[in-house]
């Protein structure tokens, strides 16, 4: 992605001790760590030689200025953070025009890679160089390694170099390194490149492989490239699925739907199929889709295959433009996606707020989430953005009504509704919401329907599962909502849950499906 914001060279922040959380901006939810423009990356240590360090968390992000990449640590599950250091450029001889500044990505080696032992921390980031006038003219995607839990870092090598200012139409910039270890011990670095404009590609996604622990990198291989000179696939993030396959998300700027997030799958992390094939769009059955600067994470949930989760800066279709949802799919990326409320509720007043986020599965079935938010007072100034974090119970058994296939129904925002929205469904015979749901295990399930009448005589919507009516029992919930419950059998795999309008229109919040025996 091109940078549209000139970052000040004058600002540098050195923090010592424990970070004190400031007040959250109005309209947000979460703890504030401090100033941060965007691009949060977090790792939870699991493979350290000192077992006492396992469970500690490290965080990096972009901060305005030329002080380097700020690194923070938490030893209490992400509840509190303390500043460790700024990781700075070591490849350009302390040249003041060069600094490690943008798009940091943290990871930990579960197994050795070349001379790097298990537990080594890897940091990929973009070092930028300015000319004598202070104008950015060059990029260098670098990799650093730490074998002492992030206390010290050493430069390993340059992945790829680029040139030009992001605002220049003919720039040849390189962006957004995302580094992983392959099963054979080699390292792979995915990145975005603008170095192929002469070949008709405005920007493309590529990768290189290292056999020596990141000291040197091999030839470039293209992963996603859309011809025509307009579309800008970018910001690739990769994760591993439990069956061994790799999953990638990226944004397609200036594509058919600007910023649409796509999903691609690879058996080995190296072959992603035809580069001109965009992959599978991430979207709900109702047509909402996450947009711009996505991340993808596989999360354990219930029985295999778990959940693929995507968060992004914003959304298209009729999704929340502030991008405060997690999009999830429990069928390996097949079929429709559903929304769940993200732990941090941010503001997106500029393109850098929410630009690459962190999402981790935590013990006890919880999610830990970090992102950047714009401020209410100066939303358009990315230099005023703040890093926010929160954790919350993971919830991937709730099917939001606004995400269902809607007939004579419309999405409406409502703060009293789950995920801040509901579907208003017309009365019979026109109103209908269809939920194509996938369950990994068949058996008896309990359905919960949260719904609300519109001031008329209440009439409970009809719940039909795989063609059979489930008899509901209804009672009043809070905020004027009702909860109707029913039980019945679901088959393993795909099922169709339908809510049909009764004699009165109704607002539908969600359908929740829980195994009758409990989780």
């Amino acid at each position: 992605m091109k940078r549209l914001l000139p970052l000040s060279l004058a600002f540098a922040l050195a923090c010592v001790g424990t970070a004190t959380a400031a007040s959250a901006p109005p309209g947000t939810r979460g703890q504030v760590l401090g100033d941060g423009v965007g691009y949060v990356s977090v790792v939870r240590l699991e493979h350290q030689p000192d077992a006492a360090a396992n469970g500690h968390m490290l965080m990096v992000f972009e901060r305005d200025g030329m002080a380097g990449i700020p690194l923070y640590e938490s030893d209490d599950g992400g509840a509190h953070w303390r500043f460790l250091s700024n990781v700075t450029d070591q490849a350009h001889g302390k040249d003041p025009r060069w600094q490690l500044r943008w798009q940091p990505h943290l990871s930990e080696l579960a197994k050795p890679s070349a001379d790097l032992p298990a537990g080594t921390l890897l940091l990929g980031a973009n070092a930028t160089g300015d000319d004598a006038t202070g104008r950015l003219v060059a990029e260098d995607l670098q990799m650093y390694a730490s074998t002492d839990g992030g206390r010290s870092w050493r430069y390993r090598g340059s992945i790829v170099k680029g040139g030009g200012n992001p605002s220049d139409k003919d720039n040849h910039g390189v962006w957004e390194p995302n580094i992983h270890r392959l099963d054979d011990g080699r390292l792979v670095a995915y990145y975005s490149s603008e170095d192929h404009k002469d070949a008709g590609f405005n920007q493309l996604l590529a990768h290189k492989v290292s056999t020596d622990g990141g000291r040197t990198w091999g030839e470039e291989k293209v992963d996603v490239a859309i011809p025509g000179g307009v579309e800008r696939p970018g910001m690739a993030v990769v994760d591993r699925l439990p069956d061994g396959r790799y999953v990638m998300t990226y944004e397609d700027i200036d594509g058919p739907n600007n910023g649409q997030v796509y999903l691609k799958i690879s058996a080995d992390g190296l072959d992603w199929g035809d580069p001109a094939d965009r992959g599978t769009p991430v979207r709900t059955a109702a047509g909402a889709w996450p947009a711009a600067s996505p991340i993808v994470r596989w999360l354990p949930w219930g029985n295999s295959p778990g959940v693929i989760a995507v968060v992004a800066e914003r959304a298209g279709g009729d999704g929340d433009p502030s991008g405060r949802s997690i999009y999830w799919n429990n069928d390996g990326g097949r079929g429709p996606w559903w929304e769940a409320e993200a732990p941090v509720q941010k503001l997106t007043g500029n393109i850098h707020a929410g630009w690459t986020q962190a999402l981790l599965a935590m013990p006890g079935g919880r999610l830990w989430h970090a992102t950047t938010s714009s401020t209410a007072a100066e939303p358009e100034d990315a230099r005023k953005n703040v890093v926010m974090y929160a954790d919350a119970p993971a919830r991937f058994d709730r099917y939001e009504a606004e995400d269902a296939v809607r007939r004579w129904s419309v999405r409406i925002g409502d703060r009293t509704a789950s995920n801040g929205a509901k579907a208003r469904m017309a009365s019979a015979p026109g109103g209908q919401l269809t939920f194509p749901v996938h369950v990994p295990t068949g058996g008896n399930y309990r359905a919960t329907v949260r719904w609300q009448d519109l001031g008329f005589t209440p009439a409970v919507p009809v719940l039909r599962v795989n063609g059979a009516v489930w008899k509901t029992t209804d009672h009043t919930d809070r905020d004027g909502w009702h909860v109707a419950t029913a039980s019945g059998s679901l088959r393993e795999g795909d099922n169709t849950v339908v809510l049909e309008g009764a004699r009165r229109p109704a607002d539908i919040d969600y359908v929740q499906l829980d195994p009758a025996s409990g989780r």
Side-chain angles (χ1 to χ4, degrees):
M1 176 184 283
K2 277 189 179 180
R3 292 224 164 223
L4 302 179
L5 175 76
L7 298 181
S8 168
L9 303 183
F11 180 87
L13 179 66
C15 300
V16 179
T18 301
T20 301
S23 298
T28 67
R29 186 181 67 210
Q31 297 294 316
V32 175
L33 174 73
D35 295 335
V37 173
Y39 223 100
V40 183
S41 181
V42 176
V43 64
R44 186 172 183 267
L45 304 183
E46 297 180 352
H47 308 284
Q48 295 302 297
D50 177 5
N54 288 326
H56 287 205
M57 296 166 66
L58 295 175
M59 181 197 306
V60 290
F61 51 89
E62 293 182 354
R63 183 171 264 159
D64 185 26
M66 291 286 280
I69 299 293
L71 175 69
Y72 284 76
E73 181 185 41
S74 172
D75 59 9
D76 60 2
H80 302 88
W81 292 85
R82 58 180 171 271
F83 177 79
L84 288 183
S85 65
N86 286 315
V87 186
T88 56
D89 173 79
Q90 299 174 15
H92 294 92
K94 296 185 178 180
D95 185 337
R97 296 175 299 179
W98 277 91
Q99 188 52 275
L100 204 62
R101 293 175 62 190
W102 288 347
Q103 302 130 22
H105 173 242
L106 268 179
S107 58
E108 181 191 31
L109 290 178
K111 296 179 180 179
S113 177
D115 61 328
L116 297 175
T120 299
L121 296 171
L122 306 181
L123 172 65
N126 197 344
T128 65
D130 297 336
D131 64 15
T133 68
R135 189 173 191 269
L136 188 148
V137 294
E139 301 84 36
D140 183 5
L141 302 191
Q142 301 177 355
M143 195 190 92
Y144 291 78
S146 173
T147 55
D148 58 5
R151 266 57 185 175
S152 63
W153 295 85
R154 64 184 186 278
Y155 172 74
R156 292 290 287 188
S158 173
I159 301 164
V160 63
K161 296 180 181 180
N165 188 280
S167 63
D168 295 339
K169 292 183 179 180
D170 62 347
N171 89 87
H172 294 268
V174 290
W175 321 101
E176 304 136 13
N178 194 259
I179 301 173
H180 298 266
R181 180 191 183 277
L182 299 170
D183 286 341
D184 61 8
R186 294 181 295 167
L187 297 178
V188 57
Y190 308 96
Y191 56 90
S192 306
S193 174
E194 298 188 70
D195 199 28
H196 301 268
K197 288 183 167 64
D198 290 344
F201 300 100
N202 194 0
Q203 181 172 280
L204 55 74
L205 301 176
H207 71 258
K208 289 185 177 183
V209 172
S210 173
T211 61
D212 57 7
R215 295 187 185 280
T216 62
W217 296 83
E219 294 183 0
E220 180 178 86
K221 181 177 179 181
V222 175
D223 300 318
V224 182
I226 311 300
V230 174
E231 295 182 45
R232 298 177 55 80
M235 308 194 84
V237 172
V238 173
D239 204 5
R240 199 78 185 270
L241 299 177
D243 62 7
R245 296 180 301 161
Y246 295 76
V247 59
M248 172 193 289
T249 53
Y250 70 93
E251 62 177 15
D252 187 21
I253 299 298
D254 294 331
N257 292 315
N258 188 26
Q260 166 78 62
V261 175
Y262 287 87
L263 189 87
K264 296 195 83 168
I265 301 288
S266 170
D268 60 2
L270 300 176
D271 184 357
W272 296 91
D274 182 358
D277 180 3
R278 294 184 184 89
T280 302
V282 176
R283 59 180 293 162
T284 69
W289 37 271
S293 190
I295 68 160
V296 62
R297 290 289 178 265
W298 177 81
L299 301 172
W301 173 260
N303 299 319
S304 180
V307 162
I308 299 175
V310 172
V311 292
E313 178 202 343
R314 50 187 171 84
D318 61 359
D320 177 11
S322 292
R324 291 175 289 191
S325 294
I326 300 171
Y327 288 78
W328 62 272
N329 178 290
N330 68 345
D331 193 18
R334 294 175 290 270
W337 293 67
W338 303 91
E339 293 177 87
E341 191 172 74
V344 176
Q345 295 291 282
K346 62 182 174 63
L347 299 178
T348 307
N350 57 77
I351 67 166
H352 294 269
W355 192 354
T356 303
Q357 306 176 47
L359 189 66
L360 297 180
M362 300 293 285
R366 300 185 68 83
L367 287 179
W368 191 91
H369 176 217
T371 184
T372 52
S373 173
S374 56
T375 59
E378 299 178 86
E380 296 181 357
D381 190 347
R383 294 169 298 180
K384 305 295 185 181
N385 288 355
V386 294
V387 176
M388 299 185 68
Y389 62 92
D391 78 337
R395 170 119 263 165
F396 301 118
D397 52 10
R398 181 172 290 178
Y399 300 85
E400 297 290 341
E402 63 271 19
D403 294 335
V405 180
R406 303 194 297 260
R407 191 181 78 183
W408 285 34
S409 306
V410 64
R411 176 183 178 129
I412 296 176
D414 186 337
R415 292 183 179 180
T416 70
S418 173
N419 204 43
K422 61 190 178 185
R424 179 158 293 172
M425 183 175 66
S427 59
Q432 186 179 85
L433 297 172
T434 300
F435 300 76
V437 302
H438 181 90
V439 295
T441 304
N444 292 324
Y445 278 75
R446 183 174 185 266
T448 302
V449 180
R450 191 168 188 249
W451 70 283
Q452 191 176 53
D453 65 79
L454 299 180
F456 308 111
T457 303
V460 182
V462 177
L463 175 64
R464 194 182 299 273
V465 180
N466 296 327
V469 174
W470 284 15
K471 184 177 180 180
T472 57
T473 300
D474 187 66
H475 67 273
T476 302
D477 192 18
R478 56 184 171 81
D479 296 325
W481 290 89
H482 292 256
V483 170
T485 58
S487 296
S489 178
L490 294 178
R491 55 179 175 250
E492 179 180 335
D494 296 330
N495 296 262
T496 302
V497 177
V498 177
L499 282 177
E500 298 174 347
R503 67 182 183 276
R504 302 290 189 187
D507 287 344
I508 311 298
D509 190 359
Y510 59 76
V511 173
Q512 184 171 309
L513 297 172
D514 297 295
S517 58
R519 187 169 295 281

